[in-house]
Amino acid sequence: MTKGATRASSRPVDQEVTTGSGGEIHQTAGGGVPVMTTQQGVPVSDDQNSLKVGARGPTLLEDFHLREKLFHFDHERIPERVVHARGYGAHGYFETYECLSGITCADLFQRPGEKTPAFVRFSTVVGSKGSPDVARDVRGFAVKLYTKQGNWDIVGNNIPVFFIQDAIKFPDLIHAAKPEPDRAFPQAQTAHDNFWDFISLTPESMNMVMWIMSDRTIPRSLRFMEGFGVHTFRLVDARGNSTFVKFHWKPKLGMQSVVWNEALKLNGADPDYHRRDLWNAIQSGQYPEWELGLQLFDQEFADSFDFDILDATKIVPEELVPVRRVGRLVLDRMVDNFFAETEQVAFCTQNVVPGIDFTNDPLLQGRNFSYLDTQLERLGGPNFTHIPINAPKCPVHTFQQDGHMAMRSRSGRANYEPNSWGGEQGGPREAPVTGFTSFPAPESGPRQRVRSPSFADHYSQARQFYVSQVEVEQSHIRDALIFELSKVQTEAIRARVVSHLRNIHEDLAGGVAAGLGLESLPPAAPAAVEPRTDLDPSPALSIVGNAPNTFAGRVIGVLVSEGADAALLDGLRRAAEGEGAEVVIVAPRVGGIEASDGKHVDAQEKLGGGPSVLYDAVAVVVSERGAEQLAGNPDVRDFISDAHAHAKFVAYAEAAKPLFESAGVTMDDGYTALTKADDAAAFLEACHDLRHWARQTG
Ligand code: HDD
């Protein structure tokens, strides 16, 4: 075949670019560029044209390159996770603060300062792989720690309780939450009949309902949320003593959420909002960090506690058992390839190491089966631990062998034990002392399908969560319930939910009923155990009440026009930098603007493509001429009115005032006038509160 030989001068020198007879572009290997091959390593001469008889003739079956390429493409997809399908992962490490040999022999906790490689995958639960990031949903927080004694997975969520108490209910819960099977919608939402039907018939979910209706399920960033191991586990020391433990991940930059109206708009403006945020943070060297906290308690505490420590619908309040911070998790490296790592990573709750053990929590017991089982479906065989992201980073010696895609096969004669072959030939041997030993908890009792009466109080902690929220958070819970239930078409289901709310808090039940327009309050749902009203609030449960008093890691969106005051822009930049925050310039054109000093200012977003929902706080720095040009622009109006409605702090140059007037907002204490460069410092100071909540509570 003859090829034209046009050399494109704009290409790197080590690539040759030629045009084929049909005008197609061929990029051929030059110095330093690898030669394209088939999967068998055969060099490819032409990746643009299939093998034909003549230029316009039929394609030949003989074309092994075409067949292999299409075959491979046809098999690119693997089943998405049945839950937690949409996720995003990053590498990092866990650093131990102190030696914990007094409570656990887990190797990673023995030496202060030691770093253990880690991989974390964050996820939403209900949505498919392509669903938007800021759906109202629980976030998965799954951590794989590659310890020297094997992989330890803490497969947790950003909420410390769960919907159900027994794993046998999990398929029902997920069926009810996912799109309804006849119509296949709604996607990534619990605002539909099936979900609330199931929930309202499952009172054990009521504590979790308070959490999912709170702002916890619309986090501002994966970096600004807590993580929890949820279940009670055991730590076991070298002498075999056991301590109960609950695992917490505490974000160094504090917690922060968005508001619901903002979330709805964010999902349109940037469906990848959370993954982009994590990517940007890690790529720019702002490594997200969490501290591992342990709540440690003994059998005596467990016996005296108001609730059953095996019940995953309950927390142990931090005020009762303080969280001891024993190390930090730092994420400092994105994956090389999303599919190979984030998609193929396989977390299993059964992955524990010597020094960590399970309890009889019936949810955990079922999970220990389900996660291993699901990997067969997703990854296609028993050798998924041979995939690099799942492979331990310590020696692995086993007589388990063969199966699909075996990558790690033993050499030597013995593939069984006991055997009498010595040395290398004989293969690995057991380690009775240092090997994993289950804690010998005594067990007895009749075999029966029952739920322990100690699991029967479904409302008291739900109330405790509600009363631990500050006023604005309580109003968000009420509004979220009204929103979700307004999407439920069956009135009986709406009323049934309200009947449960009456066992939680009458104000909440009344507010929701009024918001839904229920004519009368339904009677309270029958409760297996009288709900308690005497549990002390737990201030640790509030996000707003525990605001981090920093704007670090956050972003200011600055709307500019031609002729914007250069000194003010510079002041904002310096103040943000000093705080560890970022400035994003939003301009009428993405090419940027010429500021008042005649210098060019780059823009990262074009007006309309950078709505204020993307930013934690905003500033409007326009010239008088710019304000005139932007007057009446709907994108400007939305930028301002959304920032105002979402309780954001706003800074403005004097010339921008007419834009605020036409957006119909009333400037309040959350607004800072920028008259000189130094005013930006006061603005950043105000931003420490993250949101001007007074605007919502009045
Ligand atoms: Fe689960 C995935 C967290 C209960 C069965 N779960 C999955 C992931 C997280 C959680 C974070 C995603 C892991 C990843 O990124 O790959 N799940 C939880 C928490 C639960 C919980 C915190 C309650 C405390 N899960 C739960 C139960 C069952 C499952 C009770 C089944 C009996 N979960 C699964 C699963 C998944 C899963 C079907 C889907 C993909 C996977 O495991 O690897 O097996």
Side-chain angles (χ1 to χ4, degrees), residues 388-663:
I389 192 70
N390 295 322
K393 297 189 194 298
C394 63
V396 174
H397 300 290
T398 170
F399 290 124
Q400 295 166 29
Q401 66 173 27
D402 302 352
H404 284 292
M405 315 287 173
M407 308 277 288
R408 201 175 50 205
S409 301
R410 244 184 67 69
S411 57
R413 185 163 187 181
N415 57 356
Y416 59 91
E417 59 114 20
N419 69 61
S420 57
W421 308 106
E424 291 259 310
Q425 290 282 4
R429 293 289 188 260
E430 298 150 2
V433 178
T434 54
F436 182 88
T437 313
S438 295
F439 178 71
E443 308 288 359
S444 68
R447 295 197 300 165
Q448 51 190 353
R449 288 187 186 275
V450 292
R451 194 75 59 87
S452 167
S454 56
F455 283 35
D457 179 345
H458 303 319
Y459 301 106
S460 305
Q461 277 208 350
R463 179 188 175 88
Q464 183 180 40
F465 179 79
Y466 182 72
V467 299
S468 301
Q469 306 301 300
V470 302
E471 188 189 344
V472 70
E473 291 171 317
Q474 289 186 345
S475 70
H476 289 172
I477 293 175
R478 183 199 59 220
D479 293 348
L481 279 159
I482 295 170
F483 176 90
E484 296 263 320
L485 295 172
S486 71
K487 300 279 180 186
V488 170
Q489 287 165 356
T490 311
E491 196 176 328
I493 298 176
R494 290 188 219 140
R496 216 187 295 140
V497 176
V498 175
S499 75
H500 289 293
L501 299 180
R502 294 201 62 186
N503 289 333
I504 297 173
H505 204 288
E506 284 293 358
D507 292 352
L508 177 64
V512 173
L516 291 171
L518 289 190
E519 282 187 358
S520 59
L521 268 181
V529 168
E530 186 63 25
R532 292 175 54 174
T533 55
D534 62 338
L535 297 181
D536 288 334
S538 166
L541 301 181
S542 164
I543 296 177
V544 173
N546 293 289
N549 194 25
T550 174
F551 201 64
R554 275 76 178 178
V555 185
I556 305 174
V558 185
L559 174 57
V560 298
S561 73
E562 293 295 337
D565 190 320
L568 295 186
L569 291 179
D570 193 46
L572 274 172
R573 254 207 205 92
R574 273 186 288 119
E577 231 165 66
E579 188 71 31
E582 193 195 335
V583 162
V584 168
I585 300 288
V586 183
R589 281 178 300 275
V590 75
I593 54 137
E594 192 180 301
S596 60
D597 60 358
K599 290 199 181 129
H600 178 79
V601 175
D602 276 338
Q604 286 76 50
E605 292 287 356
K606 181 197 163 312
L607 183 60
S612 61
V613 291
L614 298 176
Y615 314 114
D616 298 286
V618 300
V620 183
V621 181
V622 293
S623 61
E624 272 178 33
R625 185 166 46 92
E628 279 164 26
Q629 283 163 354
L630 293 173
N633 183 319
D635 292 327
V636 173
R637 194 193 53 221
D638 288 355
F639 190 91
I640 292 172
S641 65
D642 275 348
H644 184 88
H646 302 150
K648 287 178 184 170
F649 287 99
V650 182
Y652 61 96
E654 202 59 23
K657 268 189 161 169
L659 297 178
F660 288 88
E661 276 158 29
S662 55

Side-chain angles (χ1 to χ4, degrees), residues 81-84 87 121-123 139-142 155-157 159 161-162 164 166-168 170-171 228-231 312 342 345-347 363-364 366-367 370-372 374-375 378:
R81 289 163 172 82
V82 61
V83 279
H84 296 265
R121 183 174 178 273
F122 302 105
S123 48
R139 296 301 181 288
F141 194 128
V155 196
N157 280 341
I159 287 180
V161 290
F162 203 62
I164 47 169
D166 192 311
I168 200 166
F170 191 70
F228 303 91
V230 181
H231 312 280
T342 309
V345 67
F347 293 94
L363 198 70
L364 176 59
R367 292 181 76 193
S370 190
Y371 288 72
L372 180 63
T374 206
Q375 310 313 340
R378 286 202 317 114

Side-chain angles (χ1 to χ4, degrees), residues 47-48 64-74:
D47 192 40
Q48 313 294 322
F64 60 83
H65 176 49
L66 168 73
R67 280 186 289 115
E68 183 199 71
K69 190 172 175 183
L70 295 185
F71 150 80
H72 203 277
F73 173 75
D74 291 345

Side-chain angles (χ1 to χ4, degrees), residues 251-416:
K252 273 283 188 67
L253 292 174
M255 278 186 285
Q256 186 184 335
S257 288
V258 298
V259 297
W260 180 234
N261 179 271
E262 190 181 7
L264 290 173
K265 292 171 177 168
L266 265 171
N267 285 333
D270 186 2
D272 306 306
Y273 189 59
H274 281 159
R275 55 173 65 182
R276 193 188 307 280
D277 172 88
L278 191 65
W279 169 272
N280 285 346
I282 293 180
Q283 298 301 73
S284 66
Q286 286 186 30
Y287 302 137
E289 210 173 306
W290 289 260
E291 287 188 301
L292 175 65
L294 308 181
Q295 275 183 301
L296 299 164
F297 49 92
D298 57 15
Q299 189 64 52
E300 199 182 330
F301 171 85
D303 293 340
S304 67
F305 184 49
D306 293 322
F307 304 96
D308 198 323
I309 59 146
L310 302 182
D311 175 357
T313 68
K314 305 297 186 302
I315 58 161
V316 174
E318 290 185 27
E319 291 77 8
L320 278 187
V321 178
V323 175
R324 176 167 160 191
R325 300 182 187 223
V326 298
R328 65 183 189 127
L329 172 71
V330 180
L331 298 183
D332 61 0
R333 182 164 61 87
M334 291 313 302
V335 298
D336 290 329
N337 182 277
F338 179 86
F339 183 88
E341 294 157 80
T342 309
E343 194 57 20
Q344 295 199 111
V345 67
F347 293 94
C348 297
T349 53
Q350 65 161 19
N351 290 354
V352 292
V353 293
I356 317 284
D357 206 348
F358 313 112
T359 59
N360 289 345
D361 176 339
L363 198 70
L364 176 59
Q365 298 279 324
R367 292 181 76 193
N368 285 345
F369 163 74
S370 190
Y371 288 72
L372 180 63
D373 185 48
T374 206
Q375 310 313 340
L376 277 185
E377 174 69 16
R378 286 202 317 114
L379 300 170
N383 288 322
F384 64 87
T385 54
H386 297 200
I387 300 172
I389 192 70
N390 295 322
K393 297 189 194 298
C394 63
V396 174
H397 300 290
T398 170
F399 290 124
Q400 295 166 29
Q401 66 173 27
D402 302 352
H404 284 292
M405 315 287 173
M407 308 277 288
R408 201 175 50 205
S409 301
R410 244 184 67 69
S411 57
R413 185 163 187 181
N415 57 356
Y416 59 91

